[in-house]
């Protein structure tokens, strides 16, 4: 076949594809003739390649040139792409998947050395106080002592005020300890004083100042009340940026790549604490190896006008950059376990003495509408924390009222969803983002919420099957380090959590093509198709041939990004 005949044949094939209405997954794969001297850089053969593309879900071999997939098919067809300089990888029948995405993760916070200690779960006052004594002696020069990891239930069961527990050991330096969910902070009297929080203080927007029955401060700051105090503590460090930077480069990024995660969304970028600058430095220094979208934190106590101006100025989706600044992280409410998630009906217990006892709003529906109207035209998509049925309902209302319909907003967590709102996700093109990797999300733990919610509302928590059956696009993510970042634990849990289980195919799509859509990159990654970039992973076992317990133990043997081996 001469060159002219080749061009005529290729044009005819392409035209027939157009006339037949080929969809985005029906990619024309015969774009390099066997006689073409343009050989591939890499050929991967003898593999079980699950492409996630509906038109061609499985392949045996893949050829990559200049970081782009140029062939998917059988081993025989791949031979024509092999030249003298082609690197050929015989994968020995191993499974290949598109690179996985985690669209809700805290990669800077979770690995930073900015915290001085981890607060273990002690059963006694002495256990906590011994640990605090040790922390104080090991960090004599720290202006604030910053910790992480306590369990608020255990703490409140002790026969002492949480504030007094610390005060007895460390009265002269501020101490702040983030609870493992990040939705409360445990502080001493010195920290309260520096944060200007006293007995007559009013609760801040989206937060609650903890008190005992006599109205005295007990040392627990819920939700945004705790965030305000933590901002002060972090400012005292002076070098939070270097600690976040080093933690990501030395720990987080290698661990993500070793688990096959090639794209992430930072779900809470505290830009007033220089976290945006940290990400930009990672990109500028050339140490960023994965694709990242940033969710800029919307501060509840900020002036809307000045904050909107600032957020608009940060938007950046430079072509060919691994880093995109294109999402806004919004909180509608708190969490269930401390009764701050926004509920339609009152909680069964009244711990915080809130008006109506239906949780808190970081932002009202009207304020969310204002931000969507202002920021959506700039290109921003909203990643909206919504856990309670009222918070979810109000977020959907705001999107319905304010969005022009072209955005890719998503509600994350979606723990208690009113069945009347199931269909609204699809109708409004809102993505449902859920986290099921944590054991606490499994159905046998649902009953633990009955004392707070009652039997009916505590049932079907995180209803991923119900949402999917009603047409919602589903993504699965980790919220690391609230839950493990291991996506294979998330996949295994997703397919076994009856009556809210989904299929293996759906779970994989939630971590790949659906998540790529949420990050606005489904045209280049998220599935393995000719013309897309070679972001893919190699597994030690085929997920379709093993039990869910074996899926949890799956290991990634290779991770490739844009045709380069990253792990």
């Amino acid at each position: 076949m001469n060159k002219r005949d080749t061009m005529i044949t290729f044009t005819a094939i392409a035209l027939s594809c157009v006339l037949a209405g080929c969809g985005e997954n029906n990619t024309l794969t015969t774009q390099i003739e066997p006689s073409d001297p343009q050989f591939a850089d890499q050929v991967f053969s003898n593999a079980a390649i699950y492409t996630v593309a509906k038109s061609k879900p499985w392949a045996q071999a893949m050829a990559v040139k200049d970081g782009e997939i140029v062939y998917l098919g059988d081993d025989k067809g791949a031979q024509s792409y092999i030249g003298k300089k082609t690197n050929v990888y015989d994968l020995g029948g191993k499974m290949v998947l598109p690179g996985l995405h985690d669209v809700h993760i805290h990669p800077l916070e979770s690995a930073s050395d900015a915290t001085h200690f981890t607060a273990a779960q002690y059963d006694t006052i002495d256990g906590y106080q011994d640990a605090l004594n040790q922390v104080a002696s090991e960090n004599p020069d720290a202006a604030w002592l910053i910790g992480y990891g306590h369990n608020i239930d255990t703490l409140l069961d002790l026969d002492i005020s949480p504030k007094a527990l610390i005060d007895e050991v460390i009265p002269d330096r501020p101490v702040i300890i983030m609870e493992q969910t990040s939705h409360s902070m445990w502080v001493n009297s010195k920290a309260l004083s520096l944060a200007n929080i006293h007995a007559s203080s009013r609760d801040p927007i989206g937060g609650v100042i903890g008190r005992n029955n006599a109205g005295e401060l007990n040392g627990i700051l819920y939700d945004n009340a705790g965030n305000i105090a933590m901002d002060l503590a972090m400012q005292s460090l002076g070098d939070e940026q270097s600690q976040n930077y080093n933690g990501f480069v030395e720990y987080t990024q290698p661990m993500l790549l070793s688990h096959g995660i090639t794209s992430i969304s930072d779900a809470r970028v505290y830009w007033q604490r220089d976290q945006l600058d940290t990400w930009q430095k990672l990109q500028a220094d050339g140490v960023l190896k994965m694709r990242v979208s940033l969710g800029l934190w919307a501060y509840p106590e900020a002036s809307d006008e000045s904050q909107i101006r600032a957020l608009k100025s940060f938007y950046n989706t430079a072509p060919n950059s691994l880093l995109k600044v294109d999402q806004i992280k919004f909180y509608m409410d708190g969490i269930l376990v401390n009764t701050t998630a926004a509920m339609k009906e009152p909680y069964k217990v009244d711990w915080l003495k809130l008006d109506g006892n239906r949780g808190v709003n970081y932002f009202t529906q009207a304020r969310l509408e204002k931000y969507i109207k202002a920021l959506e035209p700039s290109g921003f998509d909203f990643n909206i924390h919504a856990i309670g049925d009222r918070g979810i309902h109000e977020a959907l209302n705001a999107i319905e009222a304010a969005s022009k319909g072209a955005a890719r907003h998503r509600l994350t967590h979606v723990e208690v969803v009113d069945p009347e709102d199931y269909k609204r996700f699809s109708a409004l093109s809102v993505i449902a983002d859920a986290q099921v990797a944590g054991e606490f999300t499994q159905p046998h733990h649902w009953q633990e919420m009955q004392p707070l919610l009652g039997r009916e509302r505590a049932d079907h928590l995180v209803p991923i099957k119900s949402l999917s059956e009603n047409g919602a696009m589903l993504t699965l993510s980790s919220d690391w380090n609230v839950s493990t970042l291991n996506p294979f634990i998330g996949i295994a849990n997703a397919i076994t959590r009856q009556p809210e289980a989904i299929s293996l195919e759906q779970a994989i799509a939630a971590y790949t093509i659906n998540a790529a859509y949420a990050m606005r990159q489904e045209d280049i990654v998220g599935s393995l198709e000719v013309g897309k970039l070679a972001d893919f992973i190699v597994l030690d076992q085929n997920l379709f041939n093993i039990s869910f317990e074996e899926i949890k133990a799956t290991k990634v043997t290779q991770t490739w990004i844009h045709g380069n081996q990253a792990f």
Side-chain angles (χ1 to χ4, degrees):
M1 179 181 293
N2 60 35
K3 185 174 181 180
R4 179 177 178 275
D5 291 336
T6 299
M7 291 300 297
I8 292 173
T9 301
F10 180 81
T11 302
I13 294 173
L15 180 60
S16 68
C17 182
V18 172
L19 293 175
C22 293
E24 63 178 70
N25 289 326
N26 298 322
T27 310
L28 186 65
T29 61
T30 54
Q31 59 188 68
I32 296 182
E33 289 292 324
S35 59
D36 195 314
Q38 190 175 7
F39 297 118
D41 298 321
Q42 301 107 359
V43 165
F44 302 86
S45 63
N46 189 21
I49 303 173
Y50 184 62
T51 69
V52 187
K54 293 180 180 179
S55 61
K56 187 175 185 179
W58 290 96
Q60 188 180 29
M62 177 172 62
V64 176
K65 183 172 181 61
D66 296 328
E68 184 177 298
I69 300 170
V70 295
Y71 171 80
L72 277 165
D74 58 22
D75 284 345
K76 182 178 180 180
Q79 292 298 312
S80 59
Y81 294 85
I82 299 174
K84 292 181 179 180
K85 296 182 179 180
T86 303
N87 293 314
V88 180
Y89 299 83
D90 184 333
L91 296 183
K94 287 186 171 64
M95 186 177 192
V96 173
L97 281 177
L100 303 180
H101 292 54
D102 192 329
V103 295
H104 186 128
I105 190 170
H106 303 285
L108 295 187
E109 297 175 62
S110 297
S112 175
D113 287 333
T115 54
H116 299 115
F117 64 99
T118 298
Q121 307 302 316
Y122 297 105
D123 296 324
T124 66
I125 296 169
D126 288 344
Y128 280 110
Q129 291 189 330
D130 288 345
L132 288 166
N133 258 319
Q134 181 176 347
V135 168
S137 64
E138 291 176 350
N139 298 275
D141 299 324
W144 282 66
L145 290 170
I146 304 171
Y148 168 82
H150 73 279
N151 184 305
I152 193 170
D153 295 336
T154 303
L155 189 64
L156 293 176
D157 283 341
L158 298 175
D159 295 327
I160 189 174
S161 158
K163 174 170 65 72
L165 190 157
I166 305 177
D167 284 348
E168 289 183 0
V169 180
I170 311 173
D172 55 344
R173 277 196 289 172
V175 179
I176 184 167
I177 307 171
M178 179 186 287
E179 195 238 345
Q180 60 184 2
T181 67
S182 84
H183 281 264
S184 73
M185 306 292 171
W186 172 22
V187 297
N188 65 351
S189 294
K190 187 68 173 179
L192 289 168
S193 176
L194 291 174
N196 197 27
I197 297 173
H198 43 78
S200 60
S201 295
R202 299 178 61 180
D203 291 338
I205 297 172
V208 179
I209 299 170
R211 307 171 191 271
N212 62 20
N213 291 333
E216 300 167 336
L217 304 183
N218 68 1
I220 301 296
L221 302 175
Y222 296 90
D223 283 278
N224 194 44
N227 293 339
I228 293 170
M230 182 58 84
D231 281 344
L232 286 176
M234 288 297 177
Q235 289 169 14
S236 75
L237 294 173
D239 62 346
E240 182 189 1
Q241 182 178 111
S242 64
Q243 291 169 320
N244 288 343
Y245 182 104
N246 293 334
F248 181 80
V249 172
E250 297 170 6
Y251 179 74
T252 302
Q253 183 167 249
M255 186 166 65
L256 290 167
L257 294 171
S258 73
H259 284 85
I261 299 170
T262 58
S263 295
I264 59 172
S265 288
D266 186 331
R268 187 172 56 204
V269 177
Y270 289 117
W271 48 276
Q272 291 183 5
R273 280 169 35 190
D274 296 328
Q275 290 187 355
L276 176 57
D277 294 338
T278 303
W279 280 113
Q280 291 171 337
K281 181 172 173 55
L282 288 164
Q283 167 75 2
D285 290 351
V287 297
L288 192 63
K289 296 181 180 179
M290 58 198 335
R291 306 182 197 283
V292 181
S293 287
L294 302 184
L296 301 172
W297 174 246
Y299 289 86
E301 68 279 8
S303 158
D304 290 342
E305 287 70 23
S306 60
Q307 178 158 244
I308 287 170
R309 282 197 303 270
L311 294 172
K312 281 183 177 179
S313 72
F314 297 142
Y315 183 83
N316 191 341
T317 57
N320 303 318
S321 173
L322 291 172
L323 184 67
K324 309 292 184 185
V325 187
D326 58 357
Q327 298 180 10
I328 303 294
K329 180 59 182 291
F330 233 74
Y331 267 37
M332 289 303 290
D333 61 359
I335 59 174
L336 293 173
V337 296
N338 66 18
T339 69
T340 57
M343 302 300 296
K344 291 184 174 181
E345 298 297 329
Y347 286 93
K348 299 297 182 182
V349 298
D350 190 3
W351 289 339
L352 304 180
K353 309 304 178 185
L354 299 172
D355 184 26
N357 192 26
R358 298 191 301 134
V360 302
N361 282 89
Y362 276 67
F363 285 87
T364 62
Q365 177 181 320
R367 283 186 81 194
L368 176 54
E369 289 180 20
K370 182 178 183 179
Y371 276 75
I372 291 174
K373 288 178 180 178
L375 295 173
E376 186 182 284
S378 297
F380 281 109
D381 297 317
F382 281 61
N383 177 9
I384 304 170
H385 169 116
I387 285 183
D389 54 9
R390 179 168 65 85
I392 292 167
H393 184 74
E394 290 171 354
L396 292 171
N397 288 349
I399 292 170
E400 184 173 20
S403 176
K404 297 299 184 182
R408 300 182 182 184
H409 304 315
R410 65 185 183 276
L411 303 192
T412 189
H413 302 310
V414 290
E415 293 188 14
V416 183
V417 187
D418 188 328
E420 293 183 0
D421 281 330
Y422 286 161
K423 290 185 179 297
R424 296 184 71 198
F425 282 81
S426 175
L428 298 173
S429 299
V430 175
I431 301 163
D433 177 48
Q435 298 82 40
V436 297
E439 181 64 20
F440 61 90
T441 67
Q442 292 297 84
H444 59 271
H445 286 284
W446 291 352
Q447 62 184 2
E448 296 169 8
M449 288 293 105
Q450 288 183 16
L452 302 182
L453 304 176
R455 182 181 298 274
E456 183 177 353
R457 288 188 298 175
D459 199 22
H460 289 260
L461 297 178
V462 196
I464 55 176
K465 180 180 180 181
S466 297
L467 287 165
S468 296
E469 287 180 341
N470 280 275
M473 174 176 283
L474 177 71
T475 60
L476 294 174
S477 56
S478 70
D479 197 14
W480 181 70
N481 62 3
V482 174
S483 300
T484 175
L485 61 72
N486 187 336
F488 301 102
I489 293 177
I491 290 172
N493 285 353
I495 66 177
T496 56
R497 57 191 313 272
Q498 299 293 353
E500 287 294 343
I502 57 176
S503 70
L504 178 57
E505 291 86 352
Q506 288 175 307
I508 293 173
Y511 274 105
T512 54
I513 190 63
N514 293 359
Y517 177 87
M519 290 180 64
R520 291 188 177 268
Q521 57 183 24
E522 80 285 359
D523 57 331
I524 59 170
V525 293
S527 61
L528 300 177
E529 303 178 67
V530 170
K532 284 193 171 186
L533 302 181
D535 283 20
F536 65 94
I537 60 176
V538 182
L539 309 182
D540 66 343
Q541 51 189 349
N542 191 322
L543 303 183
F544 288 89
N545 297 336
I546 55 179
S547 70
F548 78 94
E549 285 293 344
E550 291 172 312
I551 290 176
K552 290 182 178 181
T554 298
K555 302 297 182 185
V556 174
T557 63
Q558 298 177 37
T559 298
W560 293 73
I561 298 178
H562 205 157
N564 297 307
Q565 190 166 3
F567 170 75

